Amino acid sequence: MLAGAEWALNRYRPQRQQLPTISLAALQAGMPHGDVYLLDVRPLEEFAAGHLPGAVAIPLAELPQRIDELPVDKLIVTYCRGPLCRYADEALLLILASGRRGARLEEGVAEWLLAGYPLAHS
């Protein structure tokens, strides 16, 4: 990434260097075993248009009221629109503050598609 872009991204997402992340490969490995709870925090309209298979939709605005719906025994992986989206960071901070384990998927729907993976629709 260009130095200027990295600086701007760090200003826009100030906690990003401190938050745990997960790669696409690690996510793919954990999903079939049920070790991962994939949380899409985008608005419901975006989720309905296409989302990662197995993802559960809880928009960021609803997450504080619905945090108790999340499992306590799985790694909760948050994702949104990709590296330029803060929703997954904000959701992950709420999840970690609730005592749950979590990580952020830096990639979003576009990067998922570019990697050759299919989307689910609802």
Side-chain angles (χ1 to χ4, degrees):
M1 187 178 294
L2 297 172
E6 183 76 19
W7 177 85
L9 188 56
N10 286 336
R11 297 259 314 169
Y12 181 64
R13 292 180 45 211
Q15 295 97 354
R16 81 181 193 99
Q17 300 295 337
Q18 291 79 39
L19 293 175
T21 60
I22 188 170
S23 68
L24 280 175
L27 175 64
Q28 287 284 30
M31 288 291 290
H33 303 294
D35 300 331
V36 173
Y37 185 89
L38 186 56
L39 182 62
D40 186 322
V41 295
R42 300 174 301 152
L44 291 176
E45 298 82 11
E46 291 180 42
F47 180 84
H51 55 274
L52 279 57
V56 174
I58 301 180
L60 179 61
E62 296 176 19
L63 188 57
Q65 296 79 28
R66 298 179 61 189
I67 196 85
D68 290 336
E69 294 177 28
L70 301 178
V72 295
D73 60 342
K74 295 183 181 188
L75 178 68
I76 301 168
V77 175
T78 61
Y79 81 93
C80 53
R81 297 174 183 129
L84 301 179
C85 183
R86 292 180 7 171
Y87 290 175
D89 290 355
E90 294 174 26
L92 184 53
L93 290 169
L94 289 169
I95 289 162
L96 296 173
S98 76
R100 291 166 172 83
R101 294 181 307 123
R104 180 203 162 103
L105 180 66
E106 282 292 306
E107 294 85 357
V109 171
E111 293 84 7
W112 180 267
L113 285 171
L114 286 172
Y117 301 122
L119 288 181
H121 296 85
S122 54

